[in-house]
Amino acid sequence: MTRVINFGAGPAMLPREVLVQVGAEMLDWQGSGMSVMEMGHRSPEYGRILAAAESDLRELLAIPDNYHVLFLQGGATLQFAMVPLNLMGGGSGGDYVVTGEWSSRAAREAGRFGTARIAAEIEDGGLRQIPAQSTWQLDRAADYVHLCANETIAGIEFNWIPQTGEVPLVADMSSNFLSRAIEVERYGLIYAGAQKNVGPAGLTIVIVRDDLAGHLRPAAPSLFDYAAQAAAHSMVNTPPTFSIYVAGLVFKWLKEQGGVGAIEARNVAKAALVYGAIDAAAGFYRNAVAPCDRSRMNATFTISRSGLDAEFLAGAQERALVQLAGHRSVGGMRASLYNAMALADVQALASYMTEFSRRHG
Ligand SMILES: *Cc1c(COP(=O)(O)O)cnc(C)c1O
């Protein structure tokens, strides 16, 4: 069996050790005589799996006690709706910072339920840069400020946290969750679809400060109520049991790697290899993001000479470097460098990029 080096943006690669353990436990989870997939979600065995996943995640991110950790379904896209349905109320609506496709979609969805103002928007073309907070049009009466911590398609990442005073900050961290240390207490709500950096698709993690839960608007489905989900330990109905189990194994794997700080250092080194290869062949490769906002998780680049994309991808494939094509909406190349990707594998990509640019440059 040969495993490829998978640069896909999501669903994405998982740590080999986790997949091996999932395989070993597939027919008989720890003497239970059944697969986790076959287990009742309210059984004592599954209760242990869920509790361990939550406590390991709390430990990894030092999540304060006044935050709920929820394991939900519907993807990050459902959070685009659940956030306004739960948080819009006493204030003037949501302020949206638009730095790419995902934050733009979040704002559009929120607009279906109330006032979603574009407080700032990244400029197209040139070297794209997240606008400085001094230029944002924030309303002090807003219900919340929403941003996307890492725009997966263009590869634009926040390396700073805005100051929003009393207004809760809401962040879509789908593609950089657990890739770096974060100060949870600076956010009102964090959400992330699991399939980028955490586990299988079908699971969405929500971390919400307890005073922000409990305000679901009356006409919304009861399943969307953060407070009800918190009270029921994410089991208002059947949770995505198998995805939570695999995510729990990823949390244990992360702890074995030394935690989020250690993985962050590795992620910085990995990103430096790819951007280093791009910058060393400037003129041949181009990354369109200001260096301060370059994503550590999704490095995007284009090949300046036209007609070489297919050859680049075919040569990569021969070296088992796969899923490097950029998002279908933008083209070009994208190397996703999530936690499970080893430094040596990123080095293989960087070496190939350098060799390819010498051959054609
Ligand atoms: C992938 C992604 C989404 C959409 O996730 P779904 O789980 O497909 O709804 C939203 N935001 C970001 C930042 C993403 O990377």
Side-chain angles (χ1 to χ4, degrees):
M1 179 196 62
T2 43
R3 296 256 309 155
V4 293
I5 303 174
N6 185 351
F7 292 95
M13 72 177 298
L14 287 169
R16 183 190 175 90
E17 297 90 327
V18 168
L19 295 176
V20 167
Q21 186 173 346
V22 169
E25 294 180 338
M26 186 59 75
L27 297 183
D28 176 12
W29 182 81
Q30 298 190 7
S32 66
M34 61 179 103
S35 169
V36 175
M37 271 185 257
E38 304 170 300
M39 230 173 240
H41 57 294
R42 300 190 195 279
S43 65
E45 291 87 352
Y46 194 75
R48 293 211 304 277
I49 292 172
L50 182 66
E54 175 171 343
S55 76
D56 286 335
L57 180 58
R58 283 186 178 276
E59 187 184 328
L60 281 165
L61 290 177
I63 299 173
D65 288 341
N66 62 324
Y67 284 73
H68 301 301
V69 173
L70 308 177
F71 297 104
L72 307 180
Q73 305 192 52
T77 304
L78 183 57
Q79 294 310 308
F80 296 169
M82 277 178 68
V83 165
L85 286 170
N86 280 271
L87 269 54
M88 279 184 184
S92 64
D95 276 338
Y96 280 77
V97 179
V98 172
T99 52
E101 180 66 20
W102 292 117
S103 43
S104 171
R105 282 203 211 181
R108 232 178 302 144
E109 182 73 1
R112 303 181 65 229
F113 307 107
T115 304
R117 284 178 301 271
I118 308 298
E121 192 162 15
I122 198 163
E123 277 177 38
D124 248 351
L127 211 52
R128 271 181 289 173
Q129 184 161 5
I130 298 176
Q133 194 188 334
S134 57
T135 68
W136 299 4
Q137 307 287 317
L138 294 179
D139 184 346
R140 258 188 295 182
D143 291 302
Y144 59 88
V145 176
H146 180 283
L147 59 79
C148 177
N150 183 61
E151 283 286 357
T152 321
I153 295 176
I156 298 171
E157 186 168 12
F158 268 92
N159 286 300
W160 49 282
I161 307 177
Q163 303 284 351
T164 58
E166 295 295 301
V167 180
L169 182 60
V170 175
D172 175 359
M173 293 194 186
S174 293
S175 51
N176 68 352
F177 190 65
L178 290 174
S179 72
R180 58 193 300 158
I182 54 168
E183 294 168 83
V184 173
E185 55 278 6
R186 303 229 355 226
Y187 299 87
L189 189 151
I190 292 166
Y191 62 90
Q195 72 272 22
K196 309 289 166 57
N197 204 26
V198 171
L203 166 64
T204 311
I205 293 171
V206 174
I207 301 172
V208 56
R209 208 174 65 208
D210 55 14
D211 62 292
L212 298 176
H215 314 287
L216 180 72
R217 84 174 50 169
S222 53
L223 202 54
F224 292 3
D225 185 356
Y226 293 131
Q229 289 286 9
H233 299 282
S234 306
M235 289 206 267
V236 169
N237 67 336
T238 314
T241 53
F242 195 77
S243 295
I244 294 170
Y245 153 68
V246 180
L249 296 181
V250 171
F251 301 156
K252 291 213 184 302
W253 176 85
L254 258 176
K255 285 169 67 178
E256 283 159 18
Q257 305 305 301
V260 169
I263 212 79
E264 176 171 6
R266 205 189 291 172
N267 289 335
V268 168
K270 282 151 51 184
L273 285 174
V274 178
Y275 290 115
I278 293 169
D279 293 341
F284 186 78
Y285 296 121
R286 178 167 189 273
N287 166 268
V289 182
C292 57
D293 297 335
R294 284 174 163 180
S295 168
R296 294 173 185 168
M297 292 287 101
N298 314 96
T300 58
F301 58 95
T302 51
I303 299 173
S304 304
R305 253 177 64 196
S306 63
L308 286 178
D309 284 13
E311 189 184 335
F312 179 88
L313 290 169
Q317 184 90 36
E318 277 170 29
R319 291 163 176 77
L321 307 166
V322 308
Q323 302 214 69
L324 281 163
H327 189 269
R328 58 196 153 82
S329 65
V330 293
M333 305 297 158
R334 173 172 56 176
S336 297
L337 312 172
Y338 298 125
N339 288 348
M341 174 76 60
L343 186 71
D345 291 339
V346 181
Q347 182 64 64
L349 171 64
S351 302
Y352 170 62
M353 288 172 65
T354 302
E355 182 199 312
F356 190 84
S357 66
R358 291 211 178 114
R359 198 156 10 111
H360 294 281

